[in-house]
Amino acid sequence: MGSSTGRSPRLLAIATAAVLAVGVSACSSSKSSTSSGSGSGKSGGSFSYWSMWRQDEPQAKVIQAAITQFTADTGIKVNVEWTGRDVAKKIGPAMAAGKAPDMWDEGADVIYGAAAQNGNAKDLSAVLGMTIPTDNEKVSDAIPSKYFDSLPKDPDGGQHWVIPYEASTAGVFYDSADPTVSAAMTSQPATWDDFIKVCDALKAKSEPCLASEGEDPWTNGLWFDYLVSAGGVNFNDLATDKTGASWDNPAVLKAAQQVEQLVKGGYIIPTYTATKYPAQQTNWAGGKAGFLMNGNWVTAEVAKQIPATWKYGFMLPPGATQPDSMVFGFALTKNAKNVSQAEQFMAYFLQKKTLSGISTVAGNLTPRTDIPAPAELADVQKTLNAPKLRLTFDGVAGDWTTKVWNQNYLDFWHGKIDAATFVAKMKSAQVSFWKSQS
């Protein structure tokens, strides 16, 4: 499906902008909703909406069905454009030109980078107090606060600049019904060395341990992100250290050396460095490798490729104790005019009967714990039940990703440099980068 966050290289380059005072009533022609829900009577009006989904994608079909019913129930017209992933590129210029829609949706990291970070996203705290139609509970009761708590703060210190409707995490997926995998891994490995033994066992049976889209620093970088986290290092702290001294932490080198084991151990499908998405994902779905690191949307992406015998297994890399979190949701642009109407739709879409389509139709997870996961994501949902979540890459955003991380990591992942050289190059590039920002 290739949706936003992670499904394509992400963590946007961020354009700086003046911090704007947020406050629903100050910038809108209609007042923000407070404690009342939607659906009680036809209030009318309209709002504009750019969606990250293409019209032919299952999420779009779920949202379109909700829009149709919402209009019938409330009289509020929704002028939706199925913009697709280009919304991430278009929204900033559109806001600058005064041509942005009232509402848009995307991954929280994209919303933060393109808008919230610069004060260009409205505070949606009022939505939390709204009652979800037919469910008779407030938004704040339906969406666990941990999803908001994991988000970075906007310039006003707020974390309610997005209302999530889809939740996700990344990890290591495999087919537990694969006899080679099940023979090599009688139980999930508790340590990194145990995992390498599993890879060795697969290698002995001529089955590569990993599939990897060699051109993608995001999915491949998840290995390093999880391993430094397991070593007690916050990736965002590592990336924002202007001195570069954090790269001298032995835990960082250890994580790099573990990644190096995957690269130099011959555990990845050969020729991975010369292929592009979704070639190796397809190979994995065809049983040509044991494991794939990706976001949980991958199960929906390969649903038509896997055989009926396939049974999903999921785990975090050994040592990692905290799942990462990526949410997708609705946001309001800084100059949104039809705030009340858009907020009503946000609460409306979170109805259990409506939001369940993200699971049953789109094959993904929702942030509501009372909506069961698709069978293939049952273990992933259990992982997300952790009391505390952390952002993928601990929320690193901005030019650092494109100017420091991407190429250096790909050189490392492609075996062009060793672990020690990777760490040294990252430190040097990071110091230069932050000097250029001052």
Side-chain angles (χ1 to χ4, degrees), residues 154-205:
D154 65 20
D156 285 345
Q159 293 172 293
H160 297 131
W161 36 264
V162 59
I163 298 298
Y165 62 73
E166 183 173 312
S168 62
T169 187
V172 184
F173 289 85
Y174 59 96
D175 174 19
S176 61
D178 180 333
T180 308
V181 170
S182 57
M185 188 173 70
T186 54
S187 61
Q188 291 188 348
T191 68
W192 183 255
D193 288 344
D194 290 343
F195 180 64
I196 293 299
K197 289 178 182 176
V198 173
C199 288
D200 282 330
L202 291 175
K203 185 178 178 182
K205 296 292 185 181

Side-chain angles (χ1 to χ4, degrees), residues 327-411:
V327 296
F328 299 80
F330 302 116
L332 291 181
T333 56
K334 62 178 181 180
N335 292 321
K337 295 180 174 58
N338 303 294
V339 173
S340 174
Q341 291 85 350
E343 289 182 336
Q344 288 182 59
F345 179 76
M346 293 179 192
Y348 186 94
F349 189 67
L350 294 178
Q351 293 176 91
K352 185 178 180 181
K353 66 178 183 181
T354 305
L355 192 62
S356 292
I358 294 296
S359 173
T360 58
V361 177
N364 279 271
L365 298 170
T366 80
R368 285 189 65 145
T369 57
D370 57 351
I371 295 178
E376 62 272 21
L377 293 178
D379 287 345
V380 178
Q381 190 176 51
K382 291 177 184 176
T383 302
L384 277 174
N385 285 339
K388 188 176 180 181
L389 304 173
R390 73 179 186 95
L391 295 179
T392 311
F393 294 96
D394 290 309
V396 170
D399 286 351
W400 180 92
T401 304
T402 55
K403 295 183 177 179
V404 179
W405 169 257
N406 285 355
Q407 191 57 56
N408 281 317
Y409 191 77
L410 284 182
D411 286 347

